Amino acid sequence: MKVILLGEIKGKGGEGDVVDVAQGYAENYLFPKKLAVAATKGNLKQLEERRNNIEKREAVRIADANALKESIDGKSVTVDAKVGDEGVLFGSVTASMVADAIKADLGVEVDRKRVELGKPIKVAGAHEVPVALYREIRATVTVLVGVTAEEAVAEVETEAAAE
């Protein structure tokens, strides 16, 4: 079933895109949540009339995402966690903890769903964590867990010397 997206949907597309989805997905999820409308002739005509406004909003979103990337890409944030013997954490560091650390350390609000952690961090040290800002725009943040920035730099230097 062809639908017109009214907003960004991860893995499907952005506002104004005409995509093909399963009928059940459209009727049970997209339509009730007002995330899409059916791609009828009338709706497609309205889409063409709104295309200019959509492109302007898209340009603003991309500019905002690039500015956000400049402010957090390559920076490091610290997450306090209890570390046991041999650098193993008591518990784990989750995406929401990383998002909170980015807000606290860098002053930038990032949705926890945008933090692409994969598996929770369970070992102390420096970890590279990608953050999806908008569509293909991504930033990488170094998350220091249970160590200070100086200890992380020293650890990287000793690993490089060992190689």
Short mmCIF file of all heavy atoms in Angstrom, two decimals, residues 16-44:
data_model
loop_
_atom_site.label_atom_id
_atom_site.label_comp_id
_atom_site.label_asym_id
_atom_site.label_seq_id
_atom_site.Cartn_x
_atom_site.Cartn_y
_atom_site.Cartn_z
N GLY A 16 6.91 13.88 3.42
CA GLY A 16 6.64 14.06 2.00
C GLY A 16 7.04 12.89 1.13
O GLY A 16 6.73 12.88 -0.06
N ASP A 17 7.71 11.89 1.67
CA ASP A 17 8.11 10.73 0.88
C ASP A 17 6.91 9.82 0.63
O ASP A 17 6.08 9.61 1.53
CB ASP A 17 9.20 9.92 1.58
CG ASP A 17 10.53 10.65 1.64
OD1 ASP A 17 10.67 11.68 0.95
OD2 ASP A 17 11.43 10.20 2.36
N VAL A 18 6.82 9.30 -0.57
CA VAL A 18 5.80 8.31 -0.90
C VAL A 18 6.46 6.94 -0.84
O VAL A 18 7.40 6.67 -1.58
CB VAL A 18 5.21 8.56 -2.31
CG1 VAL A 18 4.17 7.52 -2.64
CG2 VAL A 18 4.61 9.96 -2.40
N VAL A 19 6.01 6.11 0.09
CA VAL A 19 6.62 4.81 0.31
C VAL A 19 5.57 3.71 0.24
O VAL A 19 4.37 3.95 0.41
CB VAL A 19 7.36 4.74 1.67
CG1 VAL A 19 8.53 5.70 1.70
CG2 VAL A 19 6.43 5.02 2.82
N ASP A 20 6.04 2.51 0.01
CA ASP A 20 5.19 1.33 -0.06
C ASP A 20 5.34 0.57 1.25
O ASP A 20 6.46 0.18 1.61
CB ASP A 20 5.59 0.47 -1.25
CG ASP A 20 4.51 -0.52 -1.64
OD1 ASP A 20 3.35 -0.31 -1.23
OD2 ASP A 20 4.84 -1.50 -2.34
N VAL A 21 4.24 0.38 1.99
CA VAL A 21 4.27 -0.33 3.26
C VAL A 21 3.17 -1.38 3.26
O VAL A 21 2.27 -1.36 2.43
CB VAL A 21 4.08 0.63 4.47
CG1 VAL A 21 5.22 1.62 4.57
CG2 VAL A 21 2.76 1.35 4.40
N ALA A 22 3.24 -2.28 4.22
CA ALA A 22 2.20 -3.29 4.37
C ALA A 22 0.90 -2.61 4.78
O ALA A 22 0.90 -1.62 5.52
CB ALA A 22 2.62 -4.32 5.41
N GLN A 23 -0.20 -3.15 4.32
CA GLN A 23 -1.50 -2.53 4.59
C GLN A 23 -1.80 -2.51 6.09
O GLN A 23 -2.30 -1.52 6.61
CB GLN A 23 -2.61 -3.28 3.85
CG GLN A 23 -3.96 -2.62 4.00
CD GLN A 23 -5.01 -3.23 3.09
OE1 GLN A 23 -4.70 -4.04 2.23
NE2 GLN A 23 -6.25 -2.83 3.30
N GLY A 24 -1.49 -3.58 6.78
CA GLY A 24 -1.75 -3.64 8.22
C GLY A 24 -0.93 -2.60 8.98
O GLY A 24 -1.42 -1.97 9.92
N TYR A 25 0.34 -2.41 8.59
CA TYR A 25 1.20 -1.41 9.22
C TYR A 25 0.61 -0.02 9.02
O TYR A 25 0.58 0.79 9.95
CB TYR A 25 2.60 -1.52 8.61
CG TYR A 25 3.61 -0.54 9.14
CD1 TYR A 25 3.96 -0.52 10.49
CD2 TYR A 25 4.24 0.36 8.30
CE1 TYR A 25 4.91 0.37 10.97
CE2 TYR A 25 5.18 1.26 8.77
CZ TYR A 25 5.52 1.25 10.11
OH TYR A 25 6.45 2.14 10.57
N ALA A 26 0.13 0.24 7.82
CA ALA A 26 -0.46 1.55 7.53
C ALA A 26 -1.74 1.76 8.33
O ALA A 26 -1.91 2.79 8.98
CB ALA A 26 -0.74 1.68 6.03
N GLU A 27 -2.66 0.81 8.28
CA GLU A 27 -3.96 0.98 8.91
C GLU A 27 -3.92 0.92 10.43
O GLU A 27 -4.72 1.57 11.10
CB GLU A 27 -4.94 -0.06 8.37
CG GLU A 27 -5.29 0.17 6.91
CD GLU A 27 -6.20 -0.90 6.34
OE1 GLU A 27 -6.50 -1.89 7.04
OE2 GLU A 27 -6.60 -0.74 5.18
N ASN A 28 -3.01 0.11 10.98
CA ASN A 28 -2.99 -0.08 12.43
C ASN A 28 -1.99 0.80 13.16
O ASN A 28 -2.10 0.99 14.38
CB ASN A 28 -2.70 -1.54 12.77
CG ASN A 28 -3.80 -2.46 12.28
OD1 ASN A 28 -4.97 -2.13 12.36
ND2 ASN A 28 -3.41 -3.61 11.74
N TYR A 29 -1.00 1.33 12.45
CA TYR A 29 0.02 2.13 13.12
C TYR A 29 0.14 3.54 12.54
O TYR A 29 0.00 4.53 13.25
CB TYR A 29 1.37 1.42 13.06
CG TYR A 29 2.47 2.15 13.77
CD1 TYR A 29 2.53 2.18 15.17
CD2 TYR A 29 3.45 2.84 13.06
CE1 TYR A 29 3.52 2.87 15.83
CE2 TYR A 29 4.45 3.53 13.72
CZ TYR A 29 4.49 3.53 15.11
OH TYR A 29 5.48 4.22 15.76
N LEU A 30 0.40 3.64 11.24
CA LEU A 30 0.68 4.95 10.65
C LEU A 30 -0.53 5.88 10.63
O LEU A 30 -0.42 7.05 11.00
CB LEU A 30 1.22 4.77 9.22
CG LEU A 30 2.56 4.04 9.09
CD1 LEU A 30 2.92 3.85 7.63
CD2 LEU A 30 3.66 4.77 9.83
N PHE A 31 -1.68 5.37 10.19
CA PHE A 31 -2.87 6.23 10.10
C PHE A 31 -3.37 6.67 11.47
O PHE A 31 -3.63 7.85 11.68
CB PHE A 31 -3.98 5.56 9.30
CG PHE A 31 -3.64 5.31 7.85
CD1 PHE A 31 -4.35 4.38 7.11
CD2 PHE A 31 -2.62 5.99 7.20
CE1 PHE A 31 -4.06 4.13 5.77
CE2 PHE A 31 -2.31 5.77 5.88
CZ PHE A 31 -3.04 4.83 5.15
N PRO A 32 -3.53 5.77 12.47
CA PRO A 32 -4.03 6.21 13.77
C PRO A 32 -3.11 7.22 14.47
O PRO A 32 -3.56 8.10 15.17
CB PRO A 32 -4.12 4.94 14.60
CG PRO A 32 -4.21 3.84 13.61
CD PRO A 32 -3.43 4.31 12.42
N LYS A 33 -1.79 7.10 14.26
CA LYS A 33 -0.84 8.01 14.89
C LYS A 33 -0.59 9.25 14.05
O LYS A 33 0.29 10.05 14.38
CB LYS A 33 0.47 7.29 15.18
CG LYS A 33 0.33 6.22 16.24
CD LYS A 33 1.68 5.71 16.67
CE LYS A 33 1.53 4.66 17.72
NZ LYS A 33 1.61 5.18 19.06
N LYS A 34 -1.32 9.39 12.93
CA LYS A 34 -1.20 10.54 12.03
C LYS A 34 0.24 10.72 11.53
O LYS A 34 0.75 11.83 11.42
CB LYS A 34 -1.66 11.83 12.71
CG LYS A 34 -3.03 11.75 13.35
CD LYS A 34 -4.07 12.29 12.42
CE LYS A 34 -5.41 12.45 13.11
NZ LYS A 34 -6.27 11.32 13.02
N LEU A 35 0.91 9.59 11.23
CA LEU A 35 2.26 9.62 10.68
C LEU A 35 2.26 9.55 9.17
O LEU A 35 3.27 9.82 8.53
CB LEU A 35 3.08 8.45 11.25
CG LEU A 35 3.30 8.46 12.75
CD1 LEU A 35 3.98 7.18 13.20
CD2 LEU A 35 4.12 9.67 13.16
N ALA A 36 1.10 9.18 8.58
CA ALA A 36 1.00 9.04 7.13
C ALA A 36 -0.45 9.16 6.70
O ALA A 36 -1.36 9.02 7.51
CB ALA A 36 1.58 7.70 6.68
N VAL A 37 -0.62 9.42 5.39
CA VAL A 37 -1.95 9.40 4.77
C VAL A 37 -1.86 8.54 3.53
O VAL A 37 -0.78 8.35 2.97
CB VAL A 37 -2.45 10.83 4.40
CG1 VAL A 37 -2.70 11.66 5.65
CG2 VAL A 37 -1.50 11.52 3.48
N ALA A 38 -2.99 8.03 3.09
CA ALA A 38 -3.02 7.19 1.89
C ALA A 38 -2.61 8.03 0.68
O ALA A 38 -2.92 9.21 0.58
CB ALA A 38 -4.40 6.61 1.69
N ALA A 39 -1.90 7.40 -0.25
CA ALA A 39 -1.41 8.09 -1.44
C ALA A 39 -2.48 8.09 -2.53
O ALA A 39 -2.34 7.45 -3.57
CB ALA A 39 -0.12 7.45 -1.94
N THR A 40 -3.57 8.83 -2.30
CA THR A 40 -4.63 8.95 -3.29
C THR A 40 -4.27 10.10 -4.24
O THR A 40 -3.34 10.87 -3.99
CB THR A 40 -5.97 9.26 -2.61
OG1 THR A 40 -5.86 10.50 -1.92
CG2 THR A 40 -6.37 8.15 -1.63
N LYS A 41 -5.03 10.23 -5.34
CA LYS A 41 -4.75 11.30 -6.31
C LYS A 41 -4.85 12.67 -5.65
O LYS A 41 -4.02 13.55 -5.89
CB LYS A 41 -5.72 11.21 -7.49
CG LYS A 41 -5.44 10.07 -8.41
CD LYS A 41 -6.40 10.06 -9.59
CE LYS A 41 -6.13 8.88 -10.49
NZ LYS A 41 -7.03 8.87 -11.65
N GLY A 42 -5.86 12.87 -4.83
CA GLY A 42 -6.04 14.15 -4.15
C GLY A 42 -4.90 14.46 -3.19
O GLY A 42 -4.40 15.59 -3.14
N ASN A 43 -4.48 13.46 -2.41
CA ASN A 43 -3.39 13.66 -1.46
C ASN A 43 -2.07 13.90 -2.18
O ASN A 43 -1.24 14.69 -1.72
CB ASN A 43 -3.26 12.48 -0.51
CG ASN A 43 -4.38 12.45 0.51
OD1 ASN A 43 -5.03 13.46 0.76
ND2 ASN A 43 -4.62 11.29 1.10
N LEU A 44 -1.86 13.22 -3.31
CA LEU A 44 -0.63 13.44 -4.08
C LEU A 44 -0.60 14.85 -4.67
O LEU A 44 0.46 15.49 -4.72
CB LEU A 44 -0.50 12.39 -5.19
CG LEU A 44 -0.16 10.98 -4.72
CD1 LEU A 44 -0.28 9.99 -5.87
CD2 LEU A 44 1.23 10.94 -4.12
#
